[in-house]
Amino acid sequence: MGVMRRKLLLVLALFTVVCVSARAEVTPQQLTDPEYMINGGYSESTAEEILILKNRHDGKPCEPLYEKSNNKFVRFWKNCYSYLDPAQDSEERYHHDIHMGPSYHDL
């Protein structure tokens, strides 16, 4: 009878260990961290967009996460093209209120 109790106690102990859940707590701040998102399989542009939205909400300056080009000439023409074509997904985005037509305030 002592062996039966030991086996029952062992089975109950194993059942208790299996049923205990791991309470890993991840905050929304950690879930929206750019490095965490990129390592989780999201693209750089998605991580950058979420970082910009978080910065806008917190009142911080909106800066791009990754700087793509250091050549000023190339950057100038890409900015001109992205200004003329709003559907263009440029590396340097314009973060301003969108109006129906361009004006000198956008420059």
Side-chain angles (χ1 to χ4, degrees):
M1 196 122 151
V3 176
M4 182 86 150
R5 286 185 181 169
R6 278 191 220 154
K7 287 183 180 180
L8 183 62
L9 185 63
L10 181 62
V11 168
L12 288 175
L14 287 175
F15 183 72
T16 304
V17 169
V18 170
C19 290
V20 173
S21 63
R23 304 258 179 197
E25 188 172 319
V26 181
T27 64
Q29 191 71 15
Q30 292 170 332
L31 286 175
T32 56
D33 181 53
E35 184 178 351
Y36 181 85
M37 292 183 65
I38 291 170
N39 290 339
Y42 291 96
S43 67
E44 290 178 0
S45 60
T46 302
E48 181 181 23
E49 193 65 33
I50 290 177
L51 177 70
I52 289 171
L53 289 172
K54 281 174 45 179
N55 286 343
R56 279 185 186 167
H57 180 266
D58 296 337
K60 297 177 183 174
C62 298
E63 297 178 2
L65 187 60
Y66 299 103
E67 190 65 37
K68 301 291 183 186
S69 174
N70 291 331
N71 189 342
K72 291 181 180 181
F73 181 74
V74 172
R75 244 187 327 175
F76 172 76
W77 286 109
K78 283 185 178 181
N79 286 340
C80 288
Y81 181 70
S82 67
Y83 179 75
L84 294 174
D85 184 12
Q88 174 69 24
D89 187 24
S90 66
E91 295 159 355
E92 294 183 12
R93 297 183 180 98
Y94 285 98
H95 303 288
H96 56 76
D97 294 330
I98 297 175
H99 302 286
M100 293 305 290
S103 69
Y104 67 92
H105 295 292
D106 295 336
L107 301 174

